[in-house]
Amino acid sequence: MRQSVSCGLALGLFTLLPLCKAAADDLPVRKAGLWEMKVVRAGSPMPEMTMQHCTDETTDKEMSTAFSPMSKEICSKKDIQKTATGFVSDSVCGIAGLSITSHSEIVGDFNSAYTVRTTAHSDGGPAAMKGDHVTTIEAKWLGACKPDQKPGDIVMPNGLKMNVHDMDKLKAFLPRQGPK
């Protein structure tokens, strides 16, 4: 089970990495408050994952800045373009023997709701991550963050709470580079 959750989170992070550099420059900052983010992988035995993320303008910008160096290191291609309905992103990223080529379409607004649909092809890495994947992230603004939350807090489906400012905890979910 832990491996499935780790693979899911790793794939989710890979899905978002190509967007992070672009987010700092091109994507609008999300409205401050509590966002619900439902992640669904089509054809996956893993159930959909719904998490909540408390954010503010500073945290959204910091997330882009924090992931940007990692994105620069592992992505050989990161293109984003504005479209009539939102944005389109194409990327090629790789880490620890895993290569992911992805195409993402982002529609909606960053004040009430948006959807990110990513089609990706993965080579290498754990068997659970290989092949073609379609991941959809449906995000909706719920209102103000809860009194016990601070910007950057993410509450996972199992109740685990982490903060994006603690990047080392998130890095633990990425696949490790094996010995050469």
Side-chain angles (χ1 to χ4, degrees):
M1 177 67 171
R2 184 179 181 339
Q3 183 180 14
S4 295
V5 171
S6 295
C7 287
L9 287 173
L11 189 59
L13 288 174
F14 271 115
T15 300
L16 296 175
L17 275 173
L19 300 177
C20 290
K21 172 61 178 140
D25 302 327
D26 302 319
L27 296 178
V29 173
R30 293 181 296 171
K31 182 176 183 174
L34 187 60
W35 285 83
E36 178 180 87
M37 299 175 70
K38 180 170 71 170
V39 181
V40 178
R41 276 185 61 200
S44 171
M46 292 177 18
E48 69 182 40
M49 182 172 47
T50 301
M51 54 193 132
Q52 292 187 344
H53 183 202
C54 173
T55 192
D56 62 7
E57 182 175 349
T58 302
T59 301
D60 254 20
K61 287 180 182 177
E62 286 175 356
M63 282 179 54
S64 298
T65 303
F67 276 112
S68 183
M70 188 186 313
S71 177
K72 283 180 187 176
E73 285 179 27
I74 67 172
C75 298
S76 61
K77 175 184 176 181
K78 300 176 304 252
D79 295 327
I80 191 164
Q81 296 181 353
K82 183 155 180 42
T83 66
T85 58
F87 299 87
V88 171
S89 172
D90 291 289
S91 67
V92 177
C93 301
I95 188 171
L98 177 66
S99 173
I100 298 178
T101 302
S102 65
H103 174 80
S104 300
E105 297 178 10
I106 307 159
V107 296
D109 67 61
F110 292 81
N111 289 312
S112 60
Y114 62 91
T115 300
V116 180
R117 180 179 163 87
T118 301
T119 304
H121 178 78
S122 307
D123 287 314
M129 295 178 76
K130 290 181 183 176
D132 295 321
H133 307 280
V134 177
T135 304
T136 303
I137 301 171
E138 295 175 356
K140 67 179 177 181
W141 188 76
L142 300 177
C145 294
K146 295 176 182 174
D148 66 335
Q149 294 176 323
K150 62 182 185 267
D153 281 351
I154 296 174
V155 180
M156 302 301 289
N158 63 0
L160 173 69
K161 183 173 160 181
M162 65 177 95
N163 192 289
V164 296
H165 295 108
D166 301 325
M167 292 305 295
D168 290 334
K169 291 179 185 175
L170 292 176
K171 288 178 186 174
F173 289 107
L174 290 174
R176 302 261 186 248
Q177 179 72 36
K180 292 184 180 188

